[in-house]
Amino acid sequence: MPNKIRRKIRKRPRKPNARIRIVARAKLPTRFGPFEILGIEGRSASESAVALVHGRVRSGKPLVRIHSQCLTGDVLASERCDCRAQLELSLRRIAASPAGILLYLPQEGRGIGLMNKLRAYELQDSGMDTVQANEELGFAADSRDYAFSAAALKLLGVRSVRLLSNNPDKVQQLENAGIRVVERVPCRPRTSLVSRTYMETKRTKMGHLLDSL
């Protein structure tokens, strides 16, 4: 019998633009205004984003919000945080601007995931603040990385943005990844008294730019 020959299958090298791609695109009418919704994926499950695009974002400097998923706030209307209020304010402002993008990212609990976020809630109920709870669970106060966000913006033809954010770390990470932030636009919706402690922690322990609470 002939000897079996083991054939090596050479994998094709990935093209540079294969690292990130648009996998779906559709119209999305909302109560804030009309958007185009895009599904964007990278090489892993953690590299994904939904982009809501308004206007011609390739020209000029679009208004951009990078928003981390928050099931309890965005969907269940929790008042422990200001996430839903920021999301709605951002959609309203982007729809009213000449061009803008909302990137919605699966970074629940500042990157620790939904179940760990609920564990952090439990610790907060016993007296910890949001930073202490994350650290008690073995995480950083904020585990988010914005390299994929920057890559998604570049995929959409955007290199300079007006960024809706109170978070200087987000600004710095985008700048380091090649996205020029020409203006930081405060994202300060009206919030409830319940979320004031949470926001005070963001201001004093995480450096968020929140002047008057």
Side-chain angles (χ1 to χ4, degrees):
M1 294 179 66
N3 293 330
K4 292 183 179 179
I5 300 174
R6 184 175 294 175
R7 298 174 61 189
K8 290 185 178 181
I9 300 174
R10 298 182 65 185
K11 293 183 179 180
R12 287 185 177 181
R14 285 181 179 268
K15 295 180 181 179
N17 62 357
R19 190 175 74 83
I20 182 171
R21 63 200 184 280
I22 296 171
V23 298
R25 186 191 299 260
K27 294 178 181 178
L28 187 73
T30 76
R31 63 186 175 92
F32 304 102
F35 291 89
E36 183 178 34
I37 187 167
L38 285 68
I40 301 174
E41 288 185 347
R43 290 179 177 175
S44 66
S46 63
E47 289 189 338
S48 65
V50 170
L52 271 65
V53 178
H54 170 74
R56 300 179 63 182
V57 296
R58 289 177 177 268
S59 58
K61 301 169 181 63
L63 183 63
V64 171
R65 168 69 180 170
I66 298 175
H67 190 88
S68 297
Q69 172 183 308
C70 178
L71 174 71
T72 49
D74 298 343
V75 179
L76 303 178
S78 166
E79 294 189 345
R80 297 184 76 126
C81 64
D82 59 341
C83 297
R84 179 168 178 164
Q86 285 192 318
L87 177 61
E88 293 188 353
L89 174 67
S90 299
L91 288 171
R92 189 175 297 111
R93 288 193 176 176
I94 290 170
S97 68
I101 301 168
L102 185 134
L103 277 182
Y104 195 84
L105 302 168
Q107 296 178 327
E108 188 85 43
R110 298 196 204 104
I112 68 175
L114 179 58
M115 294 301 116
N116 283 320
K117 178 174 133 177
L118 297 184
R119 293 185 181 100
Y121 276 3
E122 189 174 14
L123 292 173
Q124 290 168 44
D125 285 348
S126 67
M128 293 185 184
D129 63 36
T130 179
V131 169
Q132 292 168 333
N134 276 24
E135 292 175 345
E136 178 69 18
L137 292 171
F139 300 103
D142 192 338
S143 302
R144 291 173 295 181
D145 182 283
Y146 297 103
F148 183 75
S149 302
L153 290 172
K154 292 175 184 177
L155 180 68
L156 298 175
V158 174
R159 294 294 189 279
S160 299
V161 302
R162 297 168 56 234
L163 187 67
L164 264 168
S165 180
N166 306 318
N167 185 354
D169 180 58
K170 190 180 294 184
V171 174
Q172 189 62 58
Q173 285 201 43
L174 287 181
E175 291 269 5
N176 292 344
I179 298 295
R180 185 176 172 224
V181 180
V182 297
E183 181 185 3
R184 184 194 65 84
V185 181
C187 191
R188 287 295 311 276
R190 294 182 64 181
T191 51
S192 71
L193 292 174
V194 178
S195 65
R196 183 159 297 180
T197 301
Y198 164 82
M199 294 174 67
E200 182 66 21
T201 300
K202 289 205 294 185
R203 185 179 72 84
T204 58
K205 291 194 172 183
M206 302 178 67
H208 285 214
L209 303 173
L210 301 164
D211 294 331
S212 55
L213 293 176

